[in-house]
Amino acid sequence: VKTATRIEPLEEQVRQALKHENLENMRQTLVAEHPANVADIIDHLPEHERLAVFKVLPFDYASDVLSETGVEATREIIQQLQPVEASALLNRLSSDDLAEILGEDIPEQQQKLLAVMKPEMAERVRQMLAFPPRSAGRLMVQQFVAVRPEMRTADVLELLQTINPDIETITDLYMLDSAKRLLGVIGLRQVLQSPAERPLSEYAYMHQIAVAPETDQEDVARLVSQHDLFALPVVADDRRMLGIITVDDVIDVLVEESTEDVLRLGAVQGGATDETYFSTPIVRAVRRRVGWLLLLFVAGTITINVLSWFESILSQVVTLSFFIPLLIGTGGNTGAQTVSTMVRGIALNEVHAGDLFRVILREVGSGLLLGTVLSVFAFILALLLGNTLQLAIVVACSIIAICTWANTIGAVVPMLARRFNLDPALVSAPLISTLVDATGLAIYLSIAKVVLGL
Amino acid sequence: VKTATRIEPLEEQVRQALKHENLENMRQTLVAEHPANVADIIDHLPEHERLAVFKVLPFDYASDVLSETGVEATREIIQQLQPVEASALLNRLSSDDLAEILGEDIPEQQQKLLAVMKPEMAERVRQMLAFPPRSAGRLMVQQFVAVRPEMRTADVLELLQTINPDIETITDLYMLDSAKRLLGVIGLRQVLQSPAERPLSEYAYMHQIAVAPETDQEDVARLVSQHDLFALPVVADDRRMLGIITVDDVIDVLVEESTEDVLRLGAVQGGATDETYFSTPIVRAVRRRVGWLLLLFVAGTITINVLSWFESILSQVVTLSFFIPLLIGTGGNTGAQTVSTMVRGIALNEVHAGDLFRVILREVGSGLLLGTVLSVFAFILALLLGNTLQLAIVVACSIIAICTWANTIGAVVPMLARRFNLDPALVSAPLISTLVDATGLAIYLSIAKVVLGL
């Protein structure tokens, strides 16, 4: 029984083989592995060792590996190969992998490589690259089993005996008219279970879901996942069939999108490439983070203003300032919890734009509950630390107010971003914490002013 | 061309139909939709309206919807039905959906319902429930196409004409020996392209990946996604074939796991159920959050200690305290960025346990870079606000130190959690911010003490 391969020992073997220049041995070890694992190893190796490993691979196997490597490794390998070698490798890839490599990984070499590739392949890829990045048109493969309505079961079985080996899946057959418009879909199972003379048009399913090539890949993934599809047809406006998207590519989209969600939530930009942790140059990693950090830093300077407005209160009761980090920290934590919940609820389409009021009601409610629980602890803590009853009351009330406020902000900001179709990358836990920091301070010090009568 | 259905208008129609008791109309509208969309609507309806909608659905259709509803709706519907009705509905589900409903959604009614179900179905589900939750054994279906090595191509085609309609996929055929041990796998395409008299044993693929039933669902998803599989066989220790996991269930696992990742990162517990945002009772939503909030609150009280240690410095230079929220907020934001990056890198297996040193080096480097950029702004800001040059230097140096430190903490905590196989739910952005709050304060005030000579 084989389970998920641990690639660490394999990587160690590769490093040893490189060190001792035992290349034949390395080749044998690697080709026994799945190309996806070899791609993982190449991604994880330091830059100068990647090509050396890639070059030992047999030609056929190398192209399979290349379709799985991360953007950095792919770029390096292709740049270091002769154009002739590179185009020979690329010619062997499927058109969706090619569109990804030429469109996203190495766009600067796109034209040069298309010029030296097989003309029909180049043409196919050019058509796909005409669609926007991250759209259905970029994900599809143009090869599928096309059948005509007048065909009978026996004709289909004959056709299947000689179909193009590049066709990825034969589970669904697509019935097209003479203008290549999609008429219906037939499952292979139905074909196998139908009498030899029965015409396909009698049993094709006519309401097959199809998407336009411009459809966002996230919508494609949602559709495939909701409807448990194995392949989704892509059609032009006139229902002319352009290609199909297979479920394995949808899985890649889901992984890519959830990487992006996690990074966005942490205020890191542009996570949806297939760069890996180590393959991203450090300067690029910094560039993805510095924008948000600076913006939040500038926004955070309001806290200085808030504190200086309340300077006289703070200087009268110095212990008030001791609770500041704890209170705004708790506000930030509460807001981070809410924003995680909301971002996920919105992504899964559980929360709709029209639910704003219902969401606010719910989050104000749970904020009050959470705040009340915490306030008991805060109250006791303040007294234990030897503060006055009045100060303990200030801290306890503030924590209720801040939790409720943080919960509301953490819910409203993502909902508004969705309602006004703003870039969802706007919404992150650090953004919410920063918003809560300044307002939380104002809440705390205002309560102090009232309760302590300053 | 149909794209992802917007369910909002449909939901509005359902609400109107309920209000005007126009049930026949509602039935017709709903059955024209995909069951997954109807399940989404039911999930999104208030509790008291769910059963009313479910009850108008025709029996066959209702069971398809039930396999897609979230845990709350499923639970409510089944609890409100007569046991006889409920068991009739459940009998129609596939064994993986049933295992999920009886094992995770309504475990308290498991025995009662199993007792009234079809005996062979009940037995099948009992076998699956013997495997741990979230394992391969719970995800599999026990029906698949089994073939014998002595069969010829023509025999297989004959077999396929009459196979059990419950079998979900016929794309892969599994070659078993007389003891039902898995010998190899044959793609249906190969069968269709082979001469009628050719024995299967000649062209079966013998190195098929298979998993043990105890394998964690996350490993299953990684394997299917890396190897672009459509179905993955599950075998016992002796290679006896137990069932197959189909790619549509793997997609559900990926969505579930990424929900969990996002919620964990926001310090919300137990996200991996199929409860939706609105279907989770508010008290349960609070319970999932209050534990972490309290723990972090208690940990956060250290900030009070730190501030009181430095009380004399703070009272000598009151403006020092004005920068506290900004500095620790920036530290928290930096840490949140790092922890998002790390959590994702670890989940995607891009970062291995052995990379700790390499990761620290990288994150110290990028922390220094980020801190240096921010320190320029912080320095200018401090001077603009009319502070002394010395104070501006303190603020600038602190921000470099805090960013570097936050980056290190944000990287080391997830790496250590992984290395010591601690529950990954431990690592969240709020945890990192809370750790950075107290230590960041100590860094800032220590630098102030030295530079200002207090």
Side-chain angles (χ1 to χ4, degrees):
Chain A
V1 178
K2 190 170 172 182
T3 55
T5 323
R6 307 285 301 170
I7 71 162
E8 289 92 330
L10 196 59
E11 195 187 336
E12 190 46 40
Q13 267 178 282
V14 169
R15 282 180 191 275
Q16 288 303 324
L18 275 175
K19 208 164 135 194
H20 301 108
E21 299 199 353
N22 198 341
L23 299 184
E24 184 48 38
N25 211 320
M26 175 161 82
R27 184 206 318 270
Q28 282 169 17
T29 312
L30 292 179
V31 297
E33 289 293 321
H34 191 280
N37 292 337
V38 177
D40 275 357
I41 290 174
I42 290 181
D43 279 338
H44 197 254
L45 283 173
E47 219 170 291
H48 59 280
E49 291 178 349
R50 287 182 187 148
L51 191 68
V53 174
F54 188 79
K55 283 230 161 184
V56 307
L57 301 173
F59 193 70
D60 276 16
Y61 191 87
S63 64
D64 288 344
V65 170
L66 193 64
S67 70
E68 305 271 358
T69 43
V71 53
E72 283 302 319
T74 309
R75 187 198 297 267
E76 270 166 41
I77 289 168
I78 293 183
Q79 279 172 345
Q80 293 178 60
L81 290 175
Q82 299 298 322
V84 143
E85 283 177 298
S87 84
L89 269 173
L90 294 175
N91 277 332
R92 304 191 64 88
L93 296 181
S94 66
S95 49
D96 55 339
D97 290 334
L98 252 178
E100 194 189 336
I101 291 179
L102 295 179
E104 285 163 45
D105 299 354
I106 44 167
E108 65 284 1
Q109 292 190 62
Q110 200 185 95
Q111 293 310 320
K112 199 178 80 188
L113 287 165
L114 283 172
V116 292
M117 281 175 53
K118 264 192 275 179
E120 71 271 24
M121 190 63 145
E123 183 47 33
R124 221 179 275 152
V125 173
R126 277 201 191 92
Q127 283 169 17
M128 292 176 71
L129 291 175
F131 298 114
R134 312 181 69 184
S135 68
R138 294 277 185 108
L139 283 179
M140 67 186 183
V141 285
Q142 287 147 311
Q143 297 96 333
F144 51 88
V145 187
V147 292
R148 297 291 305 270
E150 63 272 18
M151 285 173 106
R152 301 155 310 133
T153 305
D155 301 327
V156 176
L157 289 176
E158 209 185 298
L159 173 75
L160 289 174
Q161 282 169 22
T162 55
I163 50 156
N164 183 343
D166 286 348
I167 292 181
E168 281 185 30
T169 173
I170 59 166
T171 310
D172 286 326
L173 315 177
Y174 300 90
M175 191 167 83
L176 309 185
D177 67 12
S178 54
K180 303 213 164 168
R181 284 189 293 253
L182 178 64
L183 297 174
V185 178
I186 306 112
L188 180 57
R189 185 197 294 222
Q190 286 168 286
V191 174
L192 294 174
Q193 299 186 341
S194 294
E197 295 305 317
R198 190 165 177 205
L200 288 188
S201 55
E202 275 185 20
Y203 59 96
Y205 178 67
M206 309 306 262
H207 302 286
Q208 175 65 23
I209 297 166
V211 293
E214 297 80 16
T215 312
D216 185 84
Q217 63 176 12
E218 226 170 326
D219 292 328
V220 169
R222 200 174 292 137
L223 215 54
V224 168
S225 123
Q226 271 203 334
H227 295 235
D228 292 348
L229 303 174
F230 286 77
L232 176 67
V234 181
V235 299
D237 280 345
D238 57 359
R239 271 195 95 74
R240 197 166 38 85
M241 181 92 176
L242 301 173
I244 57 171
I245 296 170
T246 50
V247 69
D248 54 318
D249 296 315
V250 168
I251 287 189
D252 295 342
V253 168
L254 283 171
V255 172
E256 193 178 305
E257 296 285 344
S258 72
T259 299
E260 197 179 57
D261 286 353
V262 165
L263 294 183
R264 275 176 176 172
L265 205 56
V268 181
Q269 279 173 354
T273 68
D274 53 358
E275 283 188 0
T276 61
Y277 177 78
F278 285 114
S279 77
T280 314
I282 198 162
V283 174
R284 191 174 314 148
V286 166
R287 222 184 297 142
R288 288 206 183 124
R289 296 173 53 178
V290 75
W292 270 112
L293 269 191
L294 264 176
L295 199 72
L296 295 174
F297 181 83
V298 171
T301 55
I302 304 174
T303 55
I304 301 179
N305 297 329
V306 175
L307 290 174
S308 59
W309 295 332
F310 289 95
E311 186 168 4
S312 74
I313 303 179
L314 284 167
S315 57
Q316 284 173 65
V317 187
V318 180
T319 32
L320 270 179
S321 67
F322 287 9
F323 287 92
I324 286 178
L326 181 61
L327 290 177
I328 63 177
T330 302
N333 293 343
T334 313
Q337 289 185 326
T338 315
V339 79
S340 287
T341 316
M342 293 309 303
V343 160
R344 202 57 198 162
I346 292 173
L348 294 178
N349 216 11
E350 293 166 4
V351 178
H352 310 150
D355 292 328
L356 181 62
F357 184 69
R358 220 173 137 196
V359 164
I360 292 180
L361 212 70
R362 194 178 157 91
E363 294 304 329
V364 167
S366 64
L368 276 172
L369 262 169
L370 287 168
T372 308
V373 174
L374 287 179
S375 71
V376 176
F377 286 77
F379 183 77
I380 295 170
L381 173 81
L383 290 180
L384 283 179
L385 290 174
N387 293 293
T388 61
L389 179 64
Q390 274 183 317
L391 188 67
I393 292 172
V394 169
V395 170
C397 291
S398 299
I399 211 143
I400 298 179
I402 289 174
C403 282
T404 311
W405 175 240
N407 241 24
T408 313
I409 293 274
V412 167
V413 174
M415 289 298 288
L416 290 183
R418 152 135 200 191
R419 171 164 267 181
F420 295 109
N421 281 322
L422 291 175
D423 185 352
L426 274 173
V427 183
S428 66
L431 173 72
I432 303 296
S433 320
T434 305
L435 292 176
V436 170
D437 277 357
T439 47
L441 276 177
I443 291 173
Y444 170 50
L445 295 170
S446 306
I447 291 177
K449 197 170 174 179
V450 173
V451 176
L452 303 180
L454 297 169
Chain B
V1 178
K2 191 169 171 183
T3 55
T5 323
R6 308 284 303 169
I7 71 163
E8 289 91 331
L10 195 61
E11 195 187 336
E12 190 46 40
Q13 268 179 283
V14 168
R15 283 179 191 273
Q16 289 302 323
L18 274 176
K19 209 165 135 193
H20 303 107
E21 299 200 351
N22 198 342
L23 299 185
E24 184 48 37
N25 212 320
M26 174 160 83
R27 185 206 318 270
Q28 281 168 19
T29 313
L30 291 179
V31 296
E33 289 293 321
H34 192 280
N37 293 337
V38 177
D40 274 358
I41 291 174
I42 291 181
D43 280 337
H44 197 253
L45 284 173
E47 220 170 289
H48 59 280
E49 290 179 349
R50 287 182 187 148
L51 191 67
V53 173
F54 187 80
K55 281 232 161 183
V56 307
L57 300 173
F59 193 70
D60 276 14
Y61 192 86
S63 64
D64 287 345
V65 171
L66 193 65
S67 70
E68 305 272 357
T69 44
V71 53
E72 283 302 319
T74 309
R75 187 199 298 267
E76 270 166 43
I77 290 168
I78 293 184
Q79 278 172 344
Q80 292 177 62
L81 291 174
Q82 300 297 323
V84 140
E85 284 176 297
S87 84
L89 270 173
L90 294 176
N91 277 333
R92 305 190 64 86
L93 295 182
S94 68
S95 48
D96 54 339
D97 290 333
L98 251 178
E100 194 189 335
I101 291 178
L102 296 179
E104 284 163 45
D105 299 354
I106 43 166
E108 65 284 0
Q109 292 190 62
Q110 199 186 94
Q111 292 312 318
K112 200 178 80 189
L113 287 165
L114 282 173
V116 292
M117 281 175 53
K118 264 192 277 180
E120 72 272 23
M121 190 62 144
E123 181 48 31
R124 221 179 274 153
V125 173
R126 277 200 191 94
Q127 282 169 17
M128 291 176 72
L129 291 174
F131 298 116
R134 313 181 68 186
S135 68
R138 292 278 184 107
L139 284 178
M140 67 186 183
V141 285
Q142 286 147 310
Q143 296 98 334
F144 51 87
V145 186
V147 293
R148 296 291 305 269
E150 62 274 19
M151 285 173 107
R152 298 156 311 132
T153 305
D155 301 328
V156 175
L157 289 175
E158 208 186 300
L159 173 76
L160 288 175
Q161 281 169 22
T162 55
I163 50 155
N164 183 343
D166 287 347
I167 291 181
E168 281 184 33
T169 173
I170 59 165
T171 309
D172 286 326
L173 316 176
Y174 300 91
M175 190 167 83
L176 310 185
D177 67 11
S178 55
K180 304 212 164 171
R181 284 187 294 252
L182 178 63
L183 296 174
V185 178
I186 304 112
L188 179 56
R189 184 196 295 223
Q190 287 168 286
V191 175
L192 293 173
Q193 299 187 341
S194 294
E197 296 305 316
R198 192 166 176 203
L200 289 187
S201 53
E202 275 185 21
Y203 59 96
Y205 178 66
M206 310 306 263
H207 303 286
Q208 176 64 25
I209 298 165
V211 293
E214 296 81 15
T215 311
D216 185 84
Q217 64 176 10
E218 226 170 325
D219 292 328
V220 169
R222 199 172 294 139
L223 214 54
V224 168
S225 123
Q226 272 203 333
H227 296 234
D228 293 347
L229 304 173
F230 286 76
L232 177 67
V234 180
V235 299
D237 281 344
D238 57 359
R239 272 195 95 74
R240 199 168 36 85
M241 181 91 178
L242 301 173
I244 58 170
I245 297 170
T246 51
V247 69
D248 55 317
D249 295 314
V250 168
I251 286 188
D252 295 342
V253 168
L254 283 171
V255 172
E256 194 179 304
E257 296 284 346
S258 72
T259 299
E260 197 180 57
D261 285 353
V262 165
L263 295 183
R264 274 174 177 173
L265 206 56
V268 181
Q269 280 173 353
T273 68
D274 54 358
E275 284 188 0
T276 62
Y277 177 77
F278 285 114
S279 76
T280 314
I282 198 162
V283 175
R284 192 173 314 149
V286 166
R287 221 184 298 142
R288 289 208 182 121
R289 297 173 52 177
V290 75
W292 269 113
L293 269 191
L294 264 177
L295 199 71
L296 294 174
F297 180 83
V298 171
T301 55
I302 304 175
T303 55
I304 301 179
N305 297 329
V306 174
L307 290 174
S308 59
W309 294 333
F310 289 95
E311 188 168 4
S312 74
I313 302 180
L314 285 167
S315 57
Q316 285 174 64
V317 187
V318 179
T319 33
L320 269 180
S321 66
F322 288 8
F323 287 92
I324 286 178
L326 181 62
L327 290 177
I328 62 176
T330 303
N333 294 344
T334 313
Q337 288 184 328
T338 314
V339 78
S340 287
T341 316
M342 293 310 303
V343 159
R344 202 54 198 164
I346 292 173
L348 294 177
N349 216 11
E350 293 167 4
V351 179
H352 309 150
D355 291 329
L356 181 62
F357 184 68
R358 218 171 139 195
V359 165
I360 291 180
L361 212 69
R362 194 178 158 91
E363 294 304 331
V364 167
S366 65
L368 276 170
L369 261 169
L370 287 168
T372 307
V373 173
L374 287 179
S375 71
V376 175
F377 286 76
F379 182 76
I380 296 170
L381 173 81
L383 290 180
L384 283 180
L385 290 175
N387 293 293
T388 61
L389 180 64
Q390 273 183 317
L391 188 66
I393 292 172
V394 169
V395 171
C397 292
S398 299
I399 212 143
I400 299 179
I402 289 173
C403 283
T404 311
W405 174 240
N407 243 23
T408 313
I409 294 274
V412 167
V413 174
M415 288 298 288
L416 290 183
R418 153 133 201 193
R419 172 163 266 180
F420 296 110
N421 281 321
L422 291 175
D423 185 352
L426 273 174
V427 183
S428 66
L431 173 72
I432 303 295
S433 320
T434 305
L435 291 176
V436 170
D437 277 356
T439 48
L441 277 177
I443 290 172
Y444 170 48
L445 296 170
S446 305
I447 291 178
K449 198 171 173 180
V450 172
V451 175
L452 303 180
L454 298 168

